[in-house]
Amino acid sequence: MGMFNSIYADLLCPVEKKISKDTEIQIKWQKREARILATYHLGDMLEDIEQEYDNTWIRTDYICNVCSKYTRGYKGTMYIKTEDQKRHFVFVRIEHAQIREIFTEEEFKKRGVKTFVEYW
C-alpha cells in the first residue's frame, strides 16, 4: 500500500442521509516524497501534486462512518472491520494544487460534469 496523505471532510452518507463527520479520504495524488501521512482540509494546498491530479475532478471513495458496522474491540474501543466497511464515491476538485470542492456522487451528478480522473 505504501505511504499516503489524507483529506478530512464532513460528507453526507447517501444511505442514511446523515453527515459522516471528519471522514478520511486517503490520497496518493502527490509525489512520493510528499506522502508523509499529512492531513488536509477543504481550501488547503497540496504540495508536490502529480500533474494528472491538478486542475481536475477526481473520483475516489471513502469509508463511511455512518452506515459501516462497528465492532467493540479490546477495552471497549469501537472500530470498523474491513469486511464491514461501507464505501461511497466522492468527487474532489483540485485547482492549482488547492482542494477547492468535495462532493458526494449525488451532488456531483447534479452539476453535470462529465470529465474526471478515476483514482483507486
Side-chain angles (χ1 to χ4, degrees), residues 61-120:
D61 68 350
Y62 65 95
I63 300 166
C64 184
N65 297 326
V66 172
C67 67
S68 293
K69 178 185 168 193
Y70 282 82
T71 298
R72 185 171 307 278
Y74 181 69
K75 293 189 178 181
T77 58
M78 300 298 286
Y79 71 101
I80 303 169
K81 293 180 182 178
T82 302
E83 62 268 20
D84 293 331
Q85 293 175 354
K86 301 295 184 204
R87 293 180 169 269
H88 306 302
F89 289 116
V90 66
F91 291 80
V92 180
R93 171 76 179 155
I94 307 296
E95 191 172 301
H96 303 294
Q98 185 179 32
I99 305 166
R100 301 286 274 199
E101 298 176 283
I102 302 173
F103 287 140
T104 62
E105 188 171 29
E106 183 178 325
E107 293 169 322
F108 185 75
K109 286 180 180 177
K110 288 179 185 176
R111 298 204 74 193
V113 178
K114 302 291 184 212
T115 58
F116 53 86
V117 174
E118 292 272 356
Y119 175 76
W120 304 114

Side-chain angles (χ1 to χ4, degrees), residues 16-72:
E16 298 290 330
K17 303 296 186 205
K18 295 179 182 175
I19 298 295
S20 181
K21 292 274 190 191
D22 209 25
T23 305
E24 181 183 32
I25 304 167
Q26 293 184 357
I27 64 170
K28 288 188 177 180
W29 306 338
Q30 295 156 287
K31 294 179 181 166
R32 185 173 305 278
E33 57 274 8
R35 298 180 201 162
I36 56 171
L37 301 177
T39 59
Y40 299 95
H41 297 86
L42 193 63
D44 288 348
M45 300 295 290
L46 295 175
E47 303 84 17
D48 297 317
I49 189 164
E50 297 279 359
Q51 186 176 357
E52 68 180 297
Y53 298 112
D54 199 10
N55 300 312
T56 192
W57 284 98
I58 304 162
R59 181 184 190 224
T60 188
D61 68 350
Y62 65 95
I63 300 166
C64 184
N65 297 326
V66 172
C67 67
S68 293
K69 178 185 168 193
Y70 282 82
T71 298
R72 185 171 307 278

